[in-house]
Amino acid sequence: MNKVDQQTTICPWCHTEIVWDEELGPEEYCPHCENELKGYRTLSLNVDNDEDEDEEMNDGEPDMNLYSSGQEEGFRSTNRSMLALEETVERILDQQEEVPECPSCREYMLETGRQTMSKEEGYEPTAHEHIGDALLPVPFQVIWYVCPTCFQMQNRLRFNDREELLRRLSSGSK
């Protein structure tokens, strides 16, 4: 019976280990977060117990085994760092009024700040003849969010300004 190497892929978005079936081949999309696995951020590792084959595959490159002597502590430290990061993210999310989902990887996004849009800041509102005015009176605010996993940025209109927008849209045409 021939021994077949098992291919392991780490999802670059949700950091989940994905072991694919030799009959089906490699996954194109992560089964956990459904993001594409092929690309510049994807890391694939060959898992193999035969040291001779490992040496052939490395071709003289240093051993990247996380469990080799001297690197175990770094591996544990990274896990502690990841746990601390996740705990901090959870605390921040608990304090947010709104917790949008990242459109790219579906992780929860963190509020980074608010931006006031005004004429002094260079914002020019468009007047619409159907409502006789701009959709949003200046100044208004947008709230900026960042994804802690894929670093996608997104902004949303502040709640009070959303209500004003809806009020103007529902006031009818002139």
Side-chain angles (χ1 to χ4, degrees):
M1 184 187 300
N2 291 341
K3 182 179 177 184
V4 178
D5 289 343
Q6 184 178 2
Q7 183 76 18
T8 301
T9 301
I10 307 297
C11 176
W13 306 108
C14 68
H15 307 289
T16 304
E17 180 180 340
I18 302 159
V19 180
W20 49 271
D21 187 354
E22 65 184 63
E23 292 176 12
L24 299 175
E27 298 279 345
E28 290 185 26
Y29 296 93
C30 175
H32 302 282
C33 68
E34 298 179 5
N35 280 298
E36 184 178 358
L37 292 174
K38 296 179 181 178
Y40 73 97
R41 288 184 60 178
T42 302
L43 175 64
S44 294
L45 305 169
N46 286 325
V47 178
D48 189 284
N49 291 332
D50 189 6
E51 290 181 18
D52 293 334
E53 290 179 19
D54 282 345
E55 288 176 13
E56 289 175 15
M57 289 174 38
N58 285 340
D59 293 329
E61 293 179 18
D63 185 17
M64 300 303 285
N65 183 2
L66 291 174
Y67 294 103
S68 65
S69 63
Q71 291 186 357
E72 243 180 62
E73 292 173 20
F75 181 71
R76 288 184 190 144
S77 171
T78 301
N79 282 339
R80 282 190 209 126
S81 296
M82 289 301 292
L83 289 174
L85 180 136
E86 289 174 7
E87 184 178 324
T88 302
V89 166
E90 286 298 321
R91 286 181 182 166
I92 292 171
L93 290 172
D94 288 342
Q95 294 176 351
Q96 289 182 198
E97 289 180 29
E98 203 172 0
V99 183
E101 211 176 69
C102 177
S104 179
C105 70
R106 297 188 180 143
E107 289 290 327
Y108 292 126
M109 299 184 85
L110 304 173
E111 184 176 327
T112 63
R114 295 171 184 241
Q115 180 179 15
T116 300
M117 307 298 281
S118 66
K119 288 185 178 184
E120 292 80 23
E121 297 293 319
Y123 177 77
E124 288 291 326
T126 301
H128 296 276
E129 60 185 73
H130 294 292
I131 61 171
D133 201 357
L135 289 176
L136 286 171
V138 287
F140 65 90
Q141 286 188 333
V142 292
I143 304 168
W144 282 94
Y145 297 92
V146 66
C147 176
T149 302
C150 71
F151 309 107
Q152 174 87 17
M153 293 285 296
Q154 179 181 359
N155 63 24
R156 287 196 174 180
L157 198 56
R158 185 181 62 147
F159 184 75
N160 294 346
D161 293 320
R162 288 182 218 170
E163 287 180 332
E164 179 62 24
L165 172 66
L166 293 174
R167 187 191 65 73
R168 287 175 178 246
L169 287 172
S170 65
S171 68
S173 60
K174 288 192 173 186

